[in-house]
């Protein structure tokens, strides 16, 4: 709910009378808002900022970062809004966060929870295409659902957030040095549904939505279960990372195998790269990410392409031979010495070098499980 920074109230040209009711406000919608927020509207943005002891300029930056719409100086804020401002400003005053970092915290939280809120409301109402009783409005249907679910979902949200925070903090603690907290060596993978654009022209919207949801659910479950981290979903594409190449390789192959056995799903292609990645606000950036994306666009259907650095990492860690000839030599040497031969999990097949837009010549490798290459 970003605002103008003047702090002026009623009477200014183009401003909203802070005490005037919004003609679009539905009484039931206001009841629903009060149920969710736990308080009545009491403050204009200027009053909320003043009560929190925060400048109007900083309050506006926080609200805009959280993704709230401009409400001028309408009386639409509650005690919770004042408390949120006070807490963020307090973290800055205590030196725990810089002002820029506090704005980033507000922005990342706002963006994440905005999508979560939209998804939850859509999910709750998905099965309620017809009201339980004739004449009931959408708001009347929504109110009792949220009244029942709100306290449980709030507790669950905090639980999941704490779990994710603990996992993220653990990864940071295990890093060798502070530089790795921002720039780290990771395996980056894009998994892309083949021919998705054509599907959008042939399928009904509901059917297309179900396909995307099934793909995202399958990918998210596999990535989490096998030790990767899902960065984001883009409808027909998912981006994930892993701390090591072997984990990313296993996830990629399992994704291809799972979707190829599902007749309702299009074919999948995966591109992966290994190298230094910049992490910021839950996202990843850099040449390694760009390379993984480019490899995805040239990968064959139902196949996984990796860059040379990824292939070298698999060989270095002993989970793939540099070639089948090397694997045969290692097996023969182990047999001669009465030892167990190397247990390679993956096979690598070099592909033709090719020019990739913006990255020059790259040497892709086709990744498969041992015994699957021709």
């Amino acid at each position: 709910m970003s605002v103008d920074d003047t702090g002026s109230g009623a009477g200014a040209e183009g401003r909203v009378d802070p005490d005037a009711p919004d003609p679009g406000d539905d009484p039931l919608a206001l009841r629903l808002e009060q149920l969710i927020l736990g308080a009545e509207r009491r403050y204009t943005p200027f009053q909320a900022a003043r009560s929190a002891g925060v400048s109007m300029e900083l309050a506006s930056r926080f609200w805009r970062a959280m993704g709230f719409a401009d409400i001028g100086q309408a009386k639409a804020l509650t005690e919770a809004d004042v408390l949120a401002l006070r807490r963020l400003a307090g973290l800055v005053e205590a030196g725990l966060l810089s002002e820029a970092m506090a704005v980033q915290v507000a922005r990342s939280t706002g963006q994440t929870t905005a999508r979560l809120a939209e998804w939850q409301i859509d999910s709750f109402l998905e099965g309620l295409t017809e009201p339980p009783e004739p004449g009931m409005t959408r708001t009347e249907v929504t109110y009792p659902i949220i009244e029942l679910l709100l306290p449980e979902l709030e507790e669950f949200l905090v639980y999941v957030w704490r779990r994710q925070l603990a996992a993220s903090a653990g990864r940071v603690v295990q890093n060798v040095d502070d530089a790795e907290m921002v720039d780290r060596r990771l395996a980056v993978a894009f998994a892309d549904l083949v021919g998705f654009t054509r599907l959008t022209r042939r399928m009904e919207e509901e059917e297309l939505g179900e396909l995307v949801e099934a793909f995202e659910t399958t990918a998210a479950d596999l990535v989490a279960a096998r030790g990767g981290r899902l960065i984001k979903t883009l409808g027909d594409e998912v981006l994930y990372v892993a701390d090591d190449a072997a984990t990313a390789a296993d996830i990629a192959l399992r994704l291809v195998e799972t979707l190829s056995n599902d007749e309702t799903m299009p074919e999948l292609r995966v591109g992966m790269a290994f190298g230094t990645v910049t992490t910021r606000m839950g996202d990843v950036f850099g040449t390694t990410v760009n390379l993984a994306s480019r490899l995805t666009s040239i990968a064959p259907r139902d196949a996984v392409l990796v860059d040379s650095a990824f292939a070298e990492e698999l060989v270095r860690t002993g989970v793939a031979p540099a070639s089948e000839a090397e694997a045969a030599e290692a097996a023969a040497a182990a047999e001669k010495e009465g030892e167990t031969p190397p247990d390679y999990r993956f096979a690598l097949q070099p592909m033709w070098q090719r020019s990739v837009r913006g990255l020059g010549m790259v040497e892709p490798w086709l990744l498969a499980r041992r015994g699957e290459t021709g």
Side-chain angles (χ1 to χ4, degrees), residues 189-196 215 236-238 252 255-256 259 266-272 293 295-305:
F190 283 89
D192 176 65
L193 293 177
V194 178
F196 184 77
F215 170 57
D236 62 331
E237 186 175 61
V238 297
L255 277 172
V256 171
L259 266 65
E267 295 161 306
L268 187 73
R269 56 188 178 187
V270 183
M272 298 194 291
S293 177
L295 288 172
T296 306
S297 66
I298 63 174
R301 297 165 181 260
D302 282 339
V304 180
L305 277 189

Side-chain angles (χ1 to χ4, degrees), residues 86-170:
R86 194 175 291 149
R87 281 175 169 163
L88 271 179
L91 292 173
V92 174
E93 291 173 4
L96 296 173
L97 294 177
S98 67
E99 187 173 306
M101 181 59 70
V103 171
Q104 287 185 4
V105 168
R107 180 172 291 111
S108 61
T109 306
Q111 290 177 355
T112 302
T113 53
R115 184 180 181 190
L116 175 64
E118 290 285 350
W119 185 90
Q120 288 179 335
I121 290 295
D122 288 345
S123 297
F124 299 157
L125 300 180
E126 185 175 346
L128 295 175
T129 53
E130 295 293 334
E133 297 180 16
M136 288 187 70
T137 66
R138 190 177 184 86
T139 306
E140 289 172 326
V141 173
T142 306
Y143 191 96
I145 295 176
I146 292 182
E147 187 174 28
L148 291 171
L149 291 176
L150 183 62
E152 302 300 327
L153 290 177
E154 185 174 18
E155 291 288 338
F156 184 68
L157 176 62
V158 173
Y159 156 74
V160 175
W161 171 71
R162 284 181 177 273
R163 268 289 179 186
Q164 293 286 6
L165 191 63
S168 182

Side-chain angles (χ1 to χ4, degrees), residues 74-87:
K75 184 176 288 186
L77 305 184
T78 71
E79 287 289 350
D81 296 293
V82 173
L83 181 58
L85 282 177
R86 194 175 291 149
R87 281 175 169 163

Side-chain angles (χ1 to χ4, degrees), residues 158-182:
V158 173
Y159 156 74
V160 175
W161 171 71
R162 284 181 177 273
R163 268 289 179 186
Q164 293 286 6
L165 191 63
S168 182
R171 288 192 293 269
V172 169
V173 170
Q174 292 172 17
N175 286 332
V176 177
D177 53 46
D178 290 342
E180 289 191 3
M181 292 176 63
V182 177

